[in-house]
Amino acid sequence: MGKNKDKKLLFIYNPKSGKAQIKSKLAEILDVFAGEEYEITICPTRKSGDAAEAARNRSPEYDLLVCSGGDGTLDEVVTGMIESGFKTPIGYIPAGSTNDFATSLGLPKNMVRAASVAVEGNDFPCDVGSFNDDVFVYIAAFGIFTEVSYETNQDMKNLLGHLAYLLEGMKKLSTIKAYPMKVTHSQGVIEGEFLFGMVTNSVSVGGFKNLTGRHVKLDDGVFEVTLIRNPRNVTELNNIILSLLNRESDNESIHSFRTAEVRFESPEPVAWTLDGENGGTHTNVTVKNICKGIDIRIKS
């Protein structure tokens, strides 16, 4: 490092993300950073929570924080940054098996190109979400499939497709678990038994653009919410399956709306997943949009 370099960059990366593919690209990525005259501090993560801690405890002197890993790593970095109380622009080099949010931001899949965007791109003020005392970047979800998603490391990008086929494979309605809930949002209250629910700030979840809503913006201060009711009979079940497979939401069993805040109340604890990671079990959940809560680098 030359002594004349006064720009400081903190690089947090998960060496195990996406089958450890960063190992073969690390030298090239660091070369991209050095080429922009950054003084680099490298922080590899070793266990869950390390990325959040590094972001939370970072010095205000850093001009840029770049993270590399999957959606879970980005989630940790954003959580740590929100908890720190001050912003540093975030560059994101996707390296996980699922990179939904990177897709929504239009970031390159090529890691070296993504590194260039991180140091050369424009800052985009992006919404994130608060989930009780936690933080998530682009999706909070409950219900069928999500309970095991973080245990089996299933691809969240295919979540709704898997959901449809899971429902298809269930011969009896009695085998489907539903969650009685009261859902309160800016336009009213919805009560019933739900198979699945998600609060998203994402252009798509696995390409299901119609289900996250049309004309989605990542900086408009509102979330897209999708709730799927428990079917009362086989016909309703088949209609839900068809809607999911056709990527449509015009179904009386599927509720879609936009809101800046939403509250979920349930008599029994319900398991949630945040950005594909374990979000714990809760009877009361309040989700709020943190409008333009982070600055993330996107293509110029």
Side-chain angles (χ1 to χ4, degrees):
M1 302 290 166
K3 291 183 179 179
N4 294 330
K5 297 181 181 178
D6 53 4
K7 293 192 298 180
K8 297 182 183 296
L9 183 155
L10 176 61
F11 182 41
I12 301 171
Y13 75 96
N14 182 347
K16 296 178 181 175
S17 274
K19 300 178 183 176
Q21 59 179 309
I22 193 170
K23 286 182 180 177
S24 63
K25 302 291 184 183
L26 193 55
E28 288 179 83
I29 290 169
L30 294 176
D31 192 53
V32 169
F33 298 162
E36 289 296 313
E37 301 292 304
Y38 277 102
E39 180 182 314
I40 309 159
T41 302
I42 303 173
C43 182
T45 62
R46 291 178 178 158
K47 63 183 185 304
S48 177
D50 282 358
E53 184 179 358
R56 185 168 51 246
N57 296 331
R58 77 193 186 285
S59 166
E61 292 182 358
Y62 287 110
D63 302 281
L64 178 64
L65 188 164
V66 180
C67 69
S68 182
D71 290 334
T73 303
L74 178 64
D75 176 284
E76 281 200 28
V77 164
V78 170
T79 298
M81 182 164 295
I82 296 291
E83 290 173 349
S84 76
F86 65 96
K87 287 187 193 179
T88 303
I90 298 173
Y92 181 35
I93 302 173
S97 53
T98 67
N99 299 298
D100 273 334
F101 197 62
T103 302
S104 290
L105 291 168
L107 296 178
K109 293 180 180 178
N110 178 289
M111 295 176 73
V112 179
R113 285 193 201 129
S116 294
V117 171
V119 291
E120 297 171 3
N122 294 330
D123 290 343
F124 172 65
C126 185
D127 298 347
V128 291
S130 70
F131 177 97
N132 288 351
D133 296 327
D134 212 331
V135 174
F136 68 97
V137 178
Y138 74 97
I139 182 170
F142 73 85
I144 186 170
F145 183 72
T146 61
E147 286 185 305
V148 295
S149 68
Y150 49 82
E151 294 168 10
T152 60
N153 200 27
Q154 282 278 18
D155 189 340
M156 283 289 283
K157 287 181 75 171
N158 295 320
L159 188 148
L160 294 174
H162 283 298
L163 180 60
Y165 290 112
L166 260 175
L167 291 172
E168 184 71 68
M170 294 175 173
K171 303 298 182 186
K172 298 178 182 176
L173 288 172
S174 60
T175 63
I176 302 174
K177 180 159 177 62
Y179 303 85
M181 276 194 178
K182 177 182 178 183
V183 183
T184 307
H185 59 100
S186 57
Q187 288 96 48
V189 178
I190 302 170
E191 294 192 65
E193 294 191 346
F194 301 98
L195 293 179
F196 172 77
M198 66 177 180
V199 183
T200 60
N201 188 46
S202 183
V203 171
S204 68
V205 177
F208 287 78
K209 294 183 181 179
N210 290 0
L211 279 169
T212 58
R214 298 176 185 275
H215 313 299
V216 173
K217 294 183 179 179
L218 305 183
D219 61 348
D220 59 1
V222 294
F223 292 119
E224 285 68 40
V225 181
T226 302
L227 301 169
I228 301 178
R229 282 189 181 272
N230 192 27
R232 290 168 293 189
N233 51 53
V234 174
T235 302
E236 281 191 7
L237 176 62
N238 287 335
N239 286 339
I240 291 170
I241 292 166
L242 281 172
S243 292
L244 290 170
L245 292 176
N246 293 329
R247 306 184 179 194
E248 296 170 350
S249 59
D250 53 347
N251 181 303
E252 63 181 18
S253 297
I254 301 176
H255 298 274
S256 296
F257 56 90
R258 289 177 177 168
T259 185
E261 182 174 339
V262 57
R263 181 173 175 80
F264 299 85
E265 299 170 79
S266 55
E268 298 293 328
V270 175
W272 285 77
T273 175
L274 305 179
D275 298 329
E277 304 291 324
N278 186 351
T281 57
H282 309 270
T283 54
N284 289 283
V285 165
T286 299
V287 179
K288 296 180 182 179
N289 187 291
I290 305 172
C291 185
K292 301 181 179 179
I294 60 169
D295 294 325
I296 195 154
R297 289 279 167 93
I298 61 171
K299 289 180 184 175
S300 300

